[in-house]
Structure formats: C-alpha cells, structure tokens
Amino acid sequence: MLTLERILTREAFARLEPEWDALLVQSAADTITLTFDWLSTWWDVFGEDRELMILIARDSGGELIGIAPLLKRTVQHFGVLPFKRLEFIASGEDEADEICSEYLDFIIKQGREAEVLGAMLEHLISQDSEWDEMVLTDILEESPSISILRNACEDAAMSWRILKTQHCIFLPLPRTWDEFLKGLSRGYRHKITRDWRAASSLDTELVVVDKPDDFANGFDTLVRLHQSRWIEKGRPGVFSSEKFTRFHTRLAAKLLPKGRLRIFILNLNGEPLAALYDFIYGRKVFYYQSGLKIADTPIHSPGILIRSYAMEVAIEEKLTECDFMKGDPAGYKSGWQGKLRGILQVRLARAQSKEAIYNTTSKVIAGLRSIKRAVS
C-alpha cells in the first residue's frame, strides 16, 4: 500500500535530504540535475513567486519510493488568460536566467514507475481546483514517465501535447585516449593533434580547479572569458544574469566537496586563454559552460584543445560518457561524433472552458505565423 504526502514548505523539503539522493540512485532518472543539491539550490534562488508542490510516495514500510519534484505558479497565456501551472522544480525561469537543467523527471524506484507515478497522477488529477495545466520540461524522450503520463491523460480525458523536442549530444568514452582519437573524424583528429603539438612548444599550463578554496578565482576567470567573448559579439552572456551566477556560486559550495564540479583553465604565457566548466556524476562528465579569449595565437582552436584535455582526464578517470547537454545537432558540438538523446517539453491540461480558449487562440496564432512566413 502506498502513502502519498505533499511537501509544501522549504523546511519539509530540507528534511528529505537524507533520503532524496538515496532514492535517486535507485531510479531510472539518476542524474545530477535531479540531486537534492541541484534542486534545493535552484529553489532557494528562483523560488520567489512560486509554491512548492512536491509529492512523495512511501511504501507500507515507510520507505521513500517516489518523488514528484513539482512546483506551482500562475502564468498568463497570451497576456490575458491565467493558468495555474504545475512544472518541475528547476524549470520555467525567464530566458535570461535559464539554468538549462536537462533530464528532469519524476524520481521513482526502478520497477515501480507505473504503480507509483500512476498513483501520483491520480491524486493530482483529483485536485480540480489546484491546477489547470502541467508543463514538464526537458524530460527524456525514452523516460518511462512519458507513456504513463500519456495514458493518464487519455483515461482522464485530458489534453496531451508535445510542445517541443530538442536533443542532447553525448559521447561514449572508450578505455584509452588512442581509441578515442580513432573514433573521431579525420578533420577533428587533425585539429586536436595540430593544437596539441602547438601547445607543447609554447608556454602553456592546464589548471584544474576542483577545491573549494580555489573556486572563486577559477570561476572569476571563467566568467571573464565567457562574458568578454559574448559581449564582443553584441550579446550579454549567461553570467550577466545575477540569478544565474548566484545559482552556480551556491551550487559549487555543495558540489566541490563531493568531487562533482571542476573548472579547467588553459593558460598561455601566464594568461588565461580558455576555460571549461564541468559537472561529474555517476561516471559521466557534463560539459556545461565555457569561455574563450579571442586572440591571435598558434593554437587555432583553444575551445577544442581544452575540451580534448578534459576528455583525456575523463578517460584516465575511467568515466564512461561525456554529455555535451542541449545543443544544435548540426552545430559545433557535432564535430565530436556524438550521439543524440531526445528531450521533450510536454503539456497536460484539464478539459475546461479556458483550455478551449487556449487551443483556439493557439491555432489562430499558428495560422497567422504561417501566413506571415508565406508572404515574407
């Protein structure tokens, strides 16, 4: 028999910390963006104007076997139509502040997804006045949650729609560096070996920042390199957001002592040339952000060079996968010969009068956009 409980306060959320990650590693959704550290830090930075709506499930023995890491807020569709929305914690930020917490999901003990998520959805659907729509962002296309959600919508006569499909690029790591190089295209292999030779003949140094005492200087270097490059392109850069920067400085204080975060800095003649910001979790490395100095040097591709150094370190550490996270499958990340994972944004909504207005208005706007594209 399952017992469901709502977690509505930050204090109750905090009390789950000892059990949260223990359940996460037993789930099919095990990833760094669903750890207690990541989600609680996000809530502390972005929780204003939102309400916690976490739902947990325990079995007859009191063991935690399911977490729905949800929040509630009110959104205005088309500027005039208010909807009470449920969504994952760590999603729904303003675009300028967006953390990009990929692979969000329900956290459920493997083998019990249908039972536990089914019970959670039945409970949530029964709460008529609590919410109008559920928008779940960056959930894996292959997640067992997808079919359970779709079936629940059909049973409850609710609407189901995939709003967006994107891709994360990942690269399985072989056991040796030589195997890794052989798996690359000839062009990329040439770029790496060319810049490795150039770097070996220059005054270069690779600095690895993985201790709390070194973080402030390393992070400052990353931010300066990243911001200067994007500002030169006429764009603000992600660290122009105070909330984005605050999230990462707070998260680092939690992850560094656990060996889950590091920054690589490539120096040339004593000056930073490139920086790379990584997360490490579950034998995987996640390449999250970078910064490059625009300079005329014998190193043609400092971004590729520092990533190749980081991959060599990951292979030496016997990590099994490099995840480039979300990106254009045809963009610069594609040169690493990676594979693709689909991630979805899905919307569930109750059948009600304002949902009909939403659907009609959405169709009208889509039609107008098609006409505009046709005549432009």
Side-chain angles (χ1 to χ4, degrees):
M1 179 178 176
L2 295 179
T3 301
L4 301 182
E5 178 187 354
R6 289 187 177 196
I7 304 299
L8 305 178
T9 68
R10 181 62 176 87
E11 292 73 24
F13 184 12
R15 287 195 292 271
L16 290 174
E17 181 174 4
E19 299 175 280
W20 191 288
D21 287 357
L23 174 60
L24 180 60
V25 298
Q26 299 179 68
S27 76
D30 188 22
T31 192
I32 193 161
T33 53
L34 285 170
T35 59
F36 183 86
D37 287 339
W38 190 287
L39 296 181
S40 62
T41 302
W42 187 96
W43 179 258
D44 290 340
V45 174
F46 292 96
E48 188 178 5
D49 299 325
R50 294 167 165 89
E51 301 173 45
L52 282 174
M53 191 64 73
I54 300 170
L55 188 62
I56 65 171
R58 296 186 183 276
D59 65 12
S60 57
E63 179 187 356
L64 182 67
I65 59 171
I67 304 172
L70 300 172
L71 60 81
K72 183 171 75 171
R73 65 182 175 121
T74 299
V75 299
Q76 296 281 343
H77 285 300
F78 319 116
V80 295
L81 194 61
F83 268 64
K84 289 176 284 187
R85 174 183 291 180
L86 296 183
E87 59 192 357
F88 286 134
I89 298 172
S91 67
E93 313 96 321
D94 291 341
E95 185 176 358
D97 302 323
E98 192 175 9
I99 300 299
C100 297
S101 303
E102 281 123 47
Y103 309 128
L104 298 177
D105 206 337
F106 299 91
I107 304 169
I108 298 171
K109 191 172 184 177
Q110 285 198 64
R112 304 195 67 173
E113 291 91 351
E115 173 196 6
V116 175
L117 184 51
M120 288 177 161
L121 291 171
E122 183 179 352
H123 170 79
L124 290 170
I125 290 169
S126 71
Q127 308 301 304
D128 288 338
S129 62
E130 290 279 356
W131 59 279
D132 303 309
E133 65 177 6
M134 188 184 301
V135 176
L136 304 175
T137 300
D138 287 350
I139 185 170
L140 264 174
E141 191 172 25
E142 62 195 37
S143 167
S145 301
I146 294 295
S147 61
I148 299 169
L149 288 163
R150 185 185 289 114
N151 292 338
C153 284
E154 292 175 358
D155 293 343
M158 294 172 59
S159 65
W160 160 272
R161 183 181 172 194
I162 296 175
L163 298 178
K164 188 187 300 182
T165 301
Q166 294 176 287
H167 293 90
C168 292
I169 300 171
F170 71 99
L171 184 63
L173 294 176
R175 290 179 295 177
T176 68
W177 176 247
D178 286 342
E179 287 180 72
F180 172 76
L181 284 177
K182 289 176 183 176
L184 297 176
S185 67
R186 180 180 298 178
Y188 240 63
R189 189 162 57 245
H190 170 71
K191 288 180 181 180
I192 291 172
T193 54
R194 175 198 62 196
D195 280 348
W196 275 49
R197 284 195 300 268
S200 66
S201 66
L202 299 169
D203 180 15
T204 58
E205 177 190 23
L206 183 68
V207 178
V208 182
V209 177
D210 57 4
K211 301 291 189 298
D213 290 346
D214 301 326
F215 175 76
N217 288 336
F219 189 70
D220 180 65
T221 298
L222 168 75
V223 171
R224 282 190 289 105
L225 289 172
H226 177 91
Q227 290 299 111
S228 62
R229 184 169 183 236
W230 284 102
I231 290 171
E232 188 171 316
K233 291 182 176 184
R235 297 172 64 181
V238 296
F239 294 104
S240 62
S241 163
E242 185 275 333
K243 285 186 174 180
F244 182 94
T245 304
R246 179 155 43 104
F247 169 82
H248 284 287
T249 53
R250 289 190 179 189
L251 183 66
K254 300 176 181 179
L255 296 189
L256 280 166
K258 299 177 181 178
R260 291 180 174 176
L261 181 154
R262 63 186 168 204
I263 298 172
F264 290 95
I265 299 171
L266 177 63
N267 291 325
L268 175 63
N269 299 325
E271 294 293 326
L273 179 64
L276 186 62
Y277 182 33
D278 293 354
F279 298 108
I280 303 97
Y281 183 84
R283 312 309 303 161
K284 297 180 183 180
V285 57
F286 298 84
Y287 289 161
Y288 184 83
Q289 197 49 265
S290 63
L292 301 173
K293 183 177 181 180
I294 306 302
D296 183 15
T297 76
I299 298 174
H300 295 273
S301 304
I304 293 176
L305 179 61
I306 196 169
R307 281 184 174 84
S308 68
Y309 284 154
M311 286 185 188
E312 185 186 36
V313 171
I315 290 170
E316 289 175 352
E317 294 175 338
K318 302 189 185 306
L319 301 185
T320 58
E321 183 179 297
C322 163
D323 194 320
F324 289 91
M325 307 187 79
K326 199 161 29 182
D328 178 3
Y332 76 92
K333 296 177 181 179
S334 64
W336 294 98
Q337 304 287 293
K339 300 180 180 181
L340 298 180
R341 287 192 182 101
I343 52 173
L344 307 177
Q345 183 184 57
V346 300
R347 180 177 184 269
L348 299 69
R350 298 183 182 280
Q352 53 184 330
S353 57
K354 63 180 175 181
E355 176 64 10
I357 297 171
Y358 169 86
N359 288 329
T360 300
T361 307
S362 296
K363 290 176 182 177
V364 170
I365 291 173
L368 292 173
R369 286 174 177 164
S370 296
I371 293 170
K372 183 178 179 180
R373 285 195 297 269
V375 300
S376 61

